[in-house]
Amino acid sequence: MTTTLITGIGELITNDRARGDGTALGIVRDAALVIEGERVAWVGAAADAPAADASVDVAGRAVVPGFVDSHTHLVFAGERSAEFAARMAGEPYTGGGIMTTVAATRAATRDELHANTRVLADEMLSLGTTTVEIKSGYGLTVADEVKLLEVARGFTEETTFLGAHVVPAEYAHERAAYVALVCGEMLKACAPLARWIDVFCDTGAFDEEETRAVLAAGVSAGLLPRLHGNQLEHGPGVQLAAEFGAASVDHCTHLTDDDIGALRDSGVVATLLPGADFSTRSLYSDARALLDAGVTVALASDCNPGSSYVTSMPFCIALAVREMRMTPAEALYAATAGGAAALRRSDVGHVAPGAAADLVVLDAPNHVHLAYRPAGRVVAQVWKQGIRIL
Amino acid sequence: MTTTLITGIGELITNDRARGDGTALGIVRDAALVIEGERVAWVGAAADAPAADASVDVAGRAVVPGFVDSHTHLVFAGERSAEFAARMAGEPYTGGGIMTTVAATRAATRDELHANTRVLADEMLSLGTTTVEIKSGYGLTVADEVKLLEVARGFTEETTFLGAHVVPAEYAHERAAYVALVCGEMLKACAPLARWIDVFCDTGAFDEEETRAVLAAGVSAGLLPRLHGNQLEHGPGVQLAAEFGAASVDHCTHLTDDDIGALRDSGVVATLLPGADFSTRSLYSDARALLDAGVTVALASDCNPGSSYVTSMPFCIALAVREMRMTPAEALYAATAGGAAALRRSDVGHVAPGAAADLVVLDAPNHVHLAYRPAGRVVAQVWKQGIRIL
């Protein structure tokens, strides 16, 4: 296999505490790395770098692991800018607008959805996201949920069945029948297309019993559990995530001390979605309290057309630093290693021999620039599975 | 001169209340426009469009005036990411770090400064900024201030002499001598290179008497006055701006009702800098109070390496909507027509026959997407003086 040496790395973030400077970011200065095929083959000091078939000098720039965006709703049709403008003028976010997207998405063909998703996936990749999770949840019929997951699998292996996103309008008076559909025929059709089972467990979405039923059915069908919880108000999401050994509970805006303790003790990742807090003008999650308690925190975009039309992980990092009081180092770790933990992936989110050669070269001498230059052109190069795509 | 027809415009923002829908944005739907040389020659309904030498169909996208960024410190060397990280960890912003940039900028050659500024100016242009103001203020010697303004004039006619940015360390015990230098030899050397005179009138920078002296000297030398005021705490900035008939007073974070009344009565533009409020984790300016009082508001980036390393006017718009409670329409108007008013320019910031053909084509059906998709790839095309540069 062809080998490529990347040298002249002013600051290499490995996310390996045993490497480099002993911090969680495992920073190696004046570094180099070798890519062999799709993988990293060697990491170390530039002075010690072995020969390779090709060589790229990044001229003192920082190199960080590709971002792992572990929470998106990327397959949809239509847009909700009018709802956004109304919300900014004072209307609260209730999740009720999801049905607007469901209607547009049901009406869209697979090809139309693929084309829409392509645009967003390319935008994310150009902003440094090399691993993305994609949920269904805008179909809410058996055929439409299958359609969404088939489209999603064109972009990622990290697909999530979210039939339990909201109860669709046609089942408004038959909630139990909808939950039975999700747990039965819909799950049966969708499970072969998904790795994960997810439920929006919150006010206006699904309650504790419904959430438990869907998660249990999903696990029985071989899916791994994850959850939307504690976004709109305090609820049972975190406790259910701990009970089911979920990989992650996402949003975590309204937490009690007991919830934080449960996250720490269970090892469930708290995935924070600052783009959603920004775009719904809600409280930001208290990352500081979670980190100080020893909880593993991930940052993700929640990209969706209702509450977080955000594709940029650097923007999520900048918001997490400004608004959630994470340090730039903590925010970068959460957007890479944290996301990998939330997806239970050991091959991405860090830079070490054997890991995927998913890398972002920053147009900056250090990683702090991700927060220091918000919304600027901080991403200079993106490498995915050993191939430079930007 | 060659004419170009831009057609298929789903929503054209003209900033002309008499045109289109009667709002301040003057929205024309299903619009077209004709560019002749560097200017707009015709604006109207697509169905009525005249013939032209060439034609571009933007397929239903929104077109807005190029952004007018009326407050930047774009000519500098070095970076201050460590200071940013310290501030995010709790240290307050005092402006004291300016001398770090002064030292790096004094040490840089004209060519180095030009190259640094080129990168930032290109980044801004790619994000839709077609008019940019650039201040001196990181030289603080006669020769270095001249050097900065000469570099700035390579990028814009909107150059501002800001010798009164801070008192440099070597004059710390001779403030009066530094003010005399600014008003004397430095002004004499810089006035031919600048259109504007500016003073950082705030705690830790220049007080009321010093500000008055510098503004008066600048006006005597033929420069037009503008001011940094009321950023760090309440001060005399707004009142001085009104007294001098300044085009704009910039920051306006700490205002009394009297200040707001003075802005309204004097017609001085209040230029708000949400990137600085973001990156210094300070209070956001109260745009709502200013707009409700009838004050003209501009939005600008304040791009500088200390308090706002922000190049993106769409990001400023998104912040202004989220944090300053401007509507998307008000924020866009402030980032275009508002900026033009702050620079006393009638040829930019709007779209009408005779205006500069400075246009941003959004990859979106309407202008709300500038705030709805924060930090995404919302800018599809940029036209400056009739030439498509992105």
Side-chain angles (χ1 to χ4, degrees):
Chain A
M1 271 184 296
T2 305
T3 55
T4 303
L5 171 67
I6 301 186
T7 189
I9 304 174
E11 174 183 285
L12 174 65
I13 306 301
T14 67
N15 285 342
D16 178 352
R17 191 180 284 276
R19 217 176 276 273
D21 67 347
T23 68
L25 289 188
I27 299 177
V28 185
R29 298 188 203 284
D30 301 320
L33 62 85
V34 175
I35 296 169
E36 184 171 4
E38 300 181 355
R39 300 274 156 186
V40 174
W42 182 90
V43 173
D48 303 332
D53 300 325
S55 172
V56 175
D57 186 339
V58 299
R61 291 185 173 84
V63 173
V64 307
F67 303 120
V68 180
D69 189 348
S70 61
H71 184 137
T72 87
H73 305 252
L74 217 58
V75 184
F76 62 84
E79 57 97 89
R80 283 153 62 190
S81 56
E83 177 189 321
F84 171 81
R87 190 163 65 240
M88 290 299 108
E91 294 184 15
Y93 177 70
T94 61
I98 290 172
M99 284 310 291
T100 308
T101 299
V102 169
T105 304
R106 285 176 176 173
T109 66
R110 200 174 314 250
D111 285 351
E112 288 165 345
L113 290 173
H114 184 88
N116 290 352
T117 308
R118 175 90 273 157
V119 169
L120 291 170
D122 284 351
E123 182 171 314
M124 288 176 155
L125 195 55
S126 78
L127 292 162
T129 297
T130 49
T131 302
V132 64
E133 180 264 13
I134 303 178
K135 302 178 196 300
S136 69
Y138 293 126
L140 311 186
T141 68
V142 174
D144 288 307
E145 286 292 296
V146 165
K147 177 175 73 172
L148 267 72
L149 286 168
E150 287 180 345
V151 170
R153 280 167 69 93
F155 297 91
T156 185
E157 294 169 16
E158 299 296 343
T159 51
T160 299
F161 170 48
L162 181 61
H165 195 189
V166 289
V167 174
E170 63 271 23
Y171 280 92
H173 303 291
E174 311 175 78
R175 295 184 62 87
Y178 185 69
V179 172
L181 176 66
V182 170
C183 295
E185 188 189 351
M186 196 185 283
L187 174 63
K188 190 175 172 192
C190 290
L193 298 166
R195 182 170 183 230
W196 301 96
I197 178 80
D198 193 352
V199 180
F200 186 7
C201 176
D202 221 316
T203 310
F206 294 88
D207 69 17
E208 180 170 349
E209 282 314 298
E210 293 164 342
T211 301
R212 190 175 272 122
V214 174
L215 288 182
V219 169
S220 292
L223 302 181
L224 297 169
R226 54 196 313 106
L227 264 183
H228 287 64
N230 304 70
Q231 175 187 10
L232 304 176
E233 53 188 60
H234 184 258
V238 165
Q239 302 296 336
L240 284 168
E243 174 185 330
F244 277 87
S248 176
V249 57
D250 297 15
H251 283 291
C252 291
T253 307
H254 298 276
L255 300 182
T256 62
D257 288 348
D258 280 354
D259 291 328
I260 294 174
L263 288 166
R264 180 194 54 226
D265 296 343
S266 65
V268 173
V269 175
T271 298
L272 310 184
L273 307 168
D277 298 336
F278 185 87
S279 295
T280 61
R281 201 186 273 137
S282 80
L283 269 182
Y284 285 92
S285 306
D286 188 352
R288 197 69 262 143
L290 290 162
L291 290 164
D292 291 347
V295 174
T296 299
V297 170
L299 288 172
S301 71
D302 195 16
C303 187
N304 79 81
S307 58
S308 184
Y309 207 153
V310 167
T311 54
S312 168
M313 290 293 281
F315 177 61
C316 295
I317 289 170
L319 283 180
V321 169
R322 168 57 157 85
E323 305 293 355
M324 296 177 170
R325 302 203 172 243
M326 296 175 82
T327 66
E330 288 167 340
L332 174 57
Y333 189 86
T336 51
L343 293 174
R344 295 207 173 137
R345 290 278 293 269
S346 58
D347 59 331
V348 298
H350 64 120
V351 178
D358 292 353
L359 304 165
V360 178
V361 181
L362 302 183
D363 197 9
N366 66 59
H367 68 280
V368 175
H369 281 241
L370 286 162
Y372 171 50
R373 287 160 51 196
R377 301 278 197 227
V378 181
V379 171
Q381 299 178 18
V382 180
W383 295 67
K384 179 166 174 169
Q385 295 180 317
I387 295 174
R388 183 173 171 187
I389 61 90
L390 176 79
Chain B
M1 271 185 297
T2 305
T3 54
T4 303
L5 171 67
I6 301 186
T7 189
I9 303 174
E11 174 183 285
L12 175 64
I13 306 302
T14 67
N15 285 342
D16 178 353
R17 192 179 284 277
R19 217 176 275 276
D21 66 349
T23 68
L25 289 188
I27 299 177
V28 185
R29 297 187 202 284
D30 299 321
L33 62 86
V34 175
I35 296 169
E36 185 171 6
E38 300 183 355
R39 301 272 155 187
V40 173
W42 182 90
V43 173
D48 302 332
D53 301 325
S55 172
V56 175
D57 186 339
V58 298
R61 292 185 173 84
V63 173
V64 307
F67 303 120
V68 180
D69 189 348
S70 61
H71 183 136
T72 85
H73 304 253
L74 217 58
V75 184
F76 63 83
E79 56 97 271
R80 283 152 63 191
S81 57
E83 177 189 322
F84 171 81
R87 191 163 65 242
M88 289 300 108
E91 294 184 14
Y93 177 70
T94 62
I98 290 172
M99 283 308 292
T100 308
T101 299
V102 170
T105 305
R106 285 176 177 174
T109 66
R110 201 174 312 250
D111 285 353
E112 287 165 346
L113 290 173
H114 183 88
N116 290 352
T117 308
R118 176 89 273 156
V119 170
L120 291 170
D122 284 352
E123 182 170 314
M124 287 175 156
L125 194 56
S126 77
L127 292 162
T129 297
T130 49
T131 303
V132 64
E133 181 264 13
I134 303 179
K135 301 177 197 300
S136 69
Y138 293 126
L140 311 186
T141 68
V142 175
D144 287 307
E145 286 293 295
V146 166
K147 178 174 73 173
L148 267 71
L149 286 168
E150 287 180 346
V151 171
R153 279 167 70 94
F155 296 92
T156 186
E157 294 168 18
E158 299 295 345
T159 52
T160 299
F161 171 47
L162 181 62
H165 195 188
V166 289
V167 175
E170 63 272 22
Y171 280 91
H173 302 292
E174 311 176 79
R175 295 184 63 86
Y178 185 68
V179 172
L181 176 68
V182 170
C183 295
E185 188 188 350
M186 197 185 283
L187 175 63
K188 189 175 173 193
C190 290
L193 298 166
R195 183 171 183 229
W196 301 94
I197 178 78
D198 192 353
V199 181
F200 185 9
C201 176
D202 220 316
T203 310
F206 294 89
D207 69 17
E208 180 171 350
E209 283 315 298
E210 293 164 342
T211 301
R212 189 176 273 120
V214 174
L215 288 183
V219 169
S220 293
L223 302 181
L224 298 170
R226 54 198 311 108
L227 264 185
H228 287 63
N230 304 69
Q231 175 187 8
L232 304 175
E233 51 189 60
H234 183 259
V238 165
Q239 302 296 337
L240 284 167
E243 175 186 329
F244 278 86
S248 176
V249 56
D250 298 16
H251 283 293
C252 291
T253 307
H254 297 276
L255 300 182
T256 62
D257 288 348
D258 279 354
D259 291 328
I260 294 175
L263 288 166
R264 181 195 53 228
D265 296 342
S266 65
V268 174
V269 175
T271 299
L272 310 184
L273 306 168
D277 299 337
F278 185 86
S279 294
T280 62
R281 200 187 275 139
S282 79
L283 270 182
Y284 285 93
S285 306
D286 188 352
R288 198 69 262 143
L290 290 162
L291 290 164
D292 291 348
V295 174
T296 299
V297 170
L299 288 172
S301 71
D302 194 16
C303 187
N304 80 80
S307 59
S308 183
Y309 209 152
V310 167
T311 53
S312 168
M313 290 293 282
F315 177 61
C316 295
I317 290 170
L319 283 180
V321 170
R322 168 57 158 86
E323 304 293 354
M324 296 178 170
R325 300 198 176 249
M326 297 176 82
T327 67
E330 289 166 340
L332 174 56
Y333 189 86
T336 51
L343 294 174
R344 295 210 173 133
R345 290 278 293 270
S346 60
D347 58 331
V348 298
H350 64 122
V351 178
D358 292 353
L359 304 165
V360 178
V361 181
L362 302 182
D363 196 10
N366 66 59
H367 68 279
V368 176
H369 281 240
L370 286 162
Y372 170 50
R373 286 160 50 196
R377 301 278 197 229
V378 181
V379 171
Q381 299 178 18
V382 180
W383 295 67
K384 179 166 174 166
Q385 295 179 319
I387 295 175
R388 182 173 172 187
I389 59 92
L390 177 80

